[in-house]
Amino acid sequence: MIGKLKGVIDSYGEDFVILDVHGVGYIVQCSARTLQALPQPGEAAALAIETQVREDAIRLFGFASDLERDWFKVLLGVQGVGAKVALAILSTLRPGELASAIALKDKASVARSPGVGPKLAERIVNELKGKGPSLGSVDPAVIRLSDALEDRRAPQPVTDAISALTNLGYGQPQASAAVAAAMRALGEGAETSTLIRQGLKELAR
């Protein structure tokens, strides 16, 4: 199995790159984000590779980092997510953004990806919660708050502060993250108005 390729960019297609490795041109399918990060033809490049072996073909998928490749493999474990949809998700969301969306059950962010409808987005965030390779990058306080909101255990001032921020046009995940940071700074007994002011400061950073 091929785990990494290092060579020279030969040419680009709509969703793939041909990487010349010692005279052999490998066709490697990539997310749009990875393709945009690669250099011009004739320049050196390296890609983390996921190899799929089928009866009728061997397909190579290339990624800018091992983390992006790990997310690709995790996404493929969800029913209804094939390689095309997984690449579409990784074209829309960076690994850290995907981790946050799953941790916060932010179905809307996942559903922004081409080919991902509301039902599939819901299945992805439900099945992958706690399983993603970079969930350690998500603030634990945000995850706890998200769980509390879902179970209706969040204190009223917290719920009111999040509601106020969403009424100002911020998304629920961003508002929740801002209020979680405000709670960490002010303490859990903070009043609604104080949480809103501190939350706005967090969002302005």
Side-chain angles (χ1 to χ4, degrees):
M1 302 292 278
I2 298 173
K4 183 177 181 179
L5 285 175
K6 189 175 182 180
V8 175
I9 300 293
D10 179 88
S11 58
Y12 287 99
E14 184 178 345
D15 61 354
F16 67 87
V17 61
I18 297 180
L19 191 65
D20 185 328
V21 182
H22 302 302
V24 178
Y26 291 89
I27 299 175
V28 185
Q29 291 183 269
C30 303
S31 70
R33 193 178 297 279
T34 293
L35 288 174
Q36 290 167 4
L38 291 173
Q40 298 294 319
E43 297 186 23
L47 288 168
I49 299 293
E50 175 66 13
T51 307
Q52 282 191 354
V53 180
R54 302 282 175 84
E55 290 184 3
D56 57 346
I58 297 176
R59 301 170 72 192
L60 302 179
F61 298 91
F63 306 94
S65 66
D66 291 342
L67 182 58
E68 187 184 19
R69 179 183 59 192
D70 291 344
W71 268 112
F72 178 76
K73 291 191 287 187
V74 167
L75 286 166
L76 290 180
V78 178
Q79 182 183 357
V81 177
K84 185 176 180 179
V85 169
L87 288 178
I89 293 171
L90 292 170
S91 295
T92 305
L93 299 170
R94 295 182 179 87
E97 292 171 337
L98 181 55
S100 295
I102 290 170
L104 297 173
K105 293 193 174 182
D106 182 6
K107 298 172 286 188
S109 289
V110 179
R112 284 172 24 220
S113 308
V116 180
K119 288 185 178 180
L120 182 56
E122 183 173 13
R123 188 183 307 141
I124 289 169
V125 298
N126 286 338
E127 290 190 16
L128 296 187
K129 187 166 186 182
K131 297 181 181 178
S134 62
L135 289 173
S137 65
V138 182
D139 188 343
V142 178
I143 297 175
R144 287 196 300 272
L145 178 56
S146 176
D147 290 340
L149 288 169
E150 186 177 2
D151 296 339
R152 306 190 179 209
R153 292 182 287 104
Q156 194 64 42
V158 171
T159 304
D160 290 344
I162 292 173
S163 177
L165 293 178
T166 55
N167 287 338
L168 290 173
Y170 295 101
Q172 171 94 17
Q174 291 77 21
S176 297
V179 172
M183 286 174 61
R184 189 167 55 246
L186 302 170
E188 296 191 2
E191 295 182 355
T192 301
S193 58
T194 313
L195 287 172
I196 293 171
R197 284 196 297 272
Q198 184 66 31
L200 288 170
K201 290 180 182 178
E202 296 292 337
L203 288 164
R205 289 183 180 179

